[in-house]
Amino acid sequence: MDMRGARILVPGATGQLGAALVTRLHALGARPALAGRNPDALARVSALCGGAPARTFDAWDLDRCALTVHWAETELGGLDGVVVCLGVAAFGPAPEISDAVAEHLTAVNALAPMAFLRAAAPRIGEGGALAAVTGVVAEAAPAGMADYAAAKAALATWLTAVRREQRRSGVSVLEINLPHMDTGFAQRAVHGQAPHLPQGLPVEDAVDAVVAALSDGARLVRPGTVAPLEVVR
């Protein structure tokens, strides 16, 4: 994907990662559309992106997620990519996580990203991209994060299957498998307190990797052995 002129919807554009990504895309000449929960935060990020179109949604409303894809396509005159930057964490032993919290984790971390990408898939042509942030918890399944890890793992599995479905279409399906980031994300958990975590990776490192992956039609961003993150085609 050539970033210049690329029409890209970013759900979760008001979080630190999403906001950094859309401002970078705008700086590279892309045409982002922003979606988020907080209208004031959306307005601030939109202003940084030259007044980019912005729309609110709630992850609980899967129909609204899908309709936001149609809105972005209309606003931008087409759609070349969707990068979903949604996520919420919870901490504590599985028996202490209520069904309501588990449902919330599943909606935000799995069902809403799937709704966005499912709606986008028929609208994106060859050279485009479907992408979402998962996380190392999807593979590591750490104790005290069972429901959070399970929701992220569900999304990772879904992305793998959709990638196989899209092979002949020329549309890349990118999983953004990030380690702990320096965003304060863990401190905004919907339940429990985060364990002691090492220094998080700078947001700009993740943005660099995501832009490189989108440009290269890659399938995976993951923690690297030489660099903090690596892009895998």
Side-chain angles (χ1 to χ4, degrees):
M1 183 190 298
D2 183 355
M3 290 297 103
R4 186 166 296 279
R7 301 160 297 183
I8 303 175
L9 168 64
V10 182
T14 56
Q16 287 193 43
L17 176 60
L21 177 61
V22 294
T23 53
R24 175 73 66 82
L25 292 173
H26 172 69
L28 291 172
R31 297 172 55 204
L34 288 53
R37 187 177 181 182
N38 185 314
D40 293 333
L42 270 177
R44 288 194 295 272
V45 179
S46 173
L48 294 173
C49 297
R55 174 181 166 103
T56 59
F57 77 96
D58 193 300
W60 285 102
D61 189 343
L62 300 184
D63 289 339
R64 176 80 171 181
C65 295
L67 288 171
T68 298
V69 175
H70 176 69
W71 161 83
E73 182 184 41
T74 302
E75 287 286 329
L76 299 175
L79 204 56
D80 300 303
V82 177
V83 184
V84 184
C85 298
L86 305 181
V88 66
F91 304 102
E96 296 180 5
I97 303 297
S98 70
D99 289 340
V101 168
E103 185 178 5
H104 182 71
L105 293 170
T106 302
V108 176
N109 293 310
L111 296 180
M114 292 175 191
F116 276 110
L117 298 181
R118 182 181 294 111
R123 294 178 158 88
I124 293 177
E126 184 174 359
L130 303 167
V133 175
T134 58
V136 294
V137 295
E139 298 176 359
M145 303 183 200
D147 291 272
Y148 170 44
K152 287 293 191 180
L155 177 57
T157 299
W158 190 87
L159 290 169
T160 299
V162 173
R163 185 179 302 116
R164 291 169 179 157
E165 295 172 359
Q166 293 290 326
R167 275 178 181 160
R168 295 183 179 179
S169 70
V171 174
S172 62
V173 178
L174 172 65
E175 178 186 353
I176 306 165
N177 186 340
L178 297 178
H180 172 54
M181 302 294 300
D182 186 18
T183 62
F185 172 76
Q187 282 65 53
R188 295 188 293 273
V190 295
H191 177 90
Q193 291 187 337
H196 176 72
L197 296 168
Q199 179 66 40
L201 191 69
V203 171
E204 289 304 313
D205 287 4
V207 172
D208 289 344
V210 171
V211 170
L214 292 172
S215 300
D216 201 32
R219 63 181 178 87
L220 181 63
V221 171
R222 68 183 179 192
T225 54
V226 177
L229 292 170
E230 65 178 1
V231 176
V232 182
R233 278 193 58 83

